[in-house]
Structure formats: C-alpha cells, structure tokens
Amino acid sequence: MIYKWRVEEEDFASFKEVWTRTTNSIHEAVPGALGSFLLRSPEDKTEVLTVAKWDSLESWKAFWGAENPSEMVGMREIGERISVTVYDEVDDFTK
C-alpha cells in the first residue's frame, strides 16, 4: 500500500517522528502488518510516500475497516494524505 502525503518542509521532522512511532506500533500490535518505509522526493520536499507492507489485502482491509484508524491520527494532523493506492507485492529483493 502506498500512501502519498503532502508535508510542509518545516513539519517534516515532526511527521517523521510520528510516522516512526506509528509504523512501529502498528507493526507490533496489528495482525498482518509487516512494517513500512518512508520516501521523500528530492525535487519537491513536500511530497512524501509511505509504503506499508501487509501479509494480505484482507489484513490491511481489517485495519482500515473504519477508514480512519486511530493509529493514523497523528500523521493526519501534521501532513495531508493525498491518496492511498493498493498494489500486490510480486517480489522483494531488498535486504
């Protein structure tokens, strides 16, 4: 799942801090959550992507059942979520 965010440059450090706590908390507590990583555009510092890995689409849907999980509130207070796009992971050779 790829989440696209708009985060003002002066808010990025706070966003990263909240994202770190949020992603680790979800990974530890939510069944099927495998963690995520954070990307930031070098051309447009306000464009941020968070890529979350889940064991199945069903696990992700269960987490997002209410469409606004409480775990995501802190990130939404700092950044504007532009979109969420679902992709099937085909392969992963990262280490």
Side-chain angles (χ1 to χ4, degrees), residues 4 7 13 18-19 31 37 44-45 48 59 61-62 70 81 87:
K4 184 175 182 178
V7 179
V18 171
W19 170 82
F37 58 93
D44 178 358
K45 298 290 188 184
V48 176
S59 294
K61 285 181 178 179
S70 60
R81 192 179 69 209
Y87 291 91

Side-chain angles (χ1 to χ4, degrees), residues 12-93:
F12 182 75
S14 295
F15 182 86
K16 182 180 174 199
E17 181 181 312
V18 171
W19 170 82
T20 300
R21 279 196 318 270
T22 300
T23 197
N24 287 328
S25 174
I26 292 169
H27 183 228
E28 292 171 6
V30 177
L34 302 176
S36 67
F37 58 93
L38 178 68
L39 302 170
R40 187 177 186 197
S41 170
E43 288 87 26
D44 178 358
K45 298 290 188 184
T46 68
E47 184 178 321
V48 176
L49 300 178
T50 56
V51 182
K53 294 180 74 170
W54 291 82
D55 68 353
S56 69
L57 183 58
E58 292 74 24
S59 294
W60 179 76
K61 285 181 178 179
F63 174 70
W64 280 94
E67 297 205 17
N68 277 316
S70 60
E71 293 90 345
M72 303 296 285
V73 169
M75 292 170 60
R76 289 192 314 266
E77 289 175 348
I78 299 170
E80 175 189 3
R81 192 179 69 209
I82 305 299
S83 64
V84 178
T85 307
V86 177
Y87 291 91
D88 290 328
E89 184 173 331
V90 176
D91 238 330
D92 181 358
F93 293 103

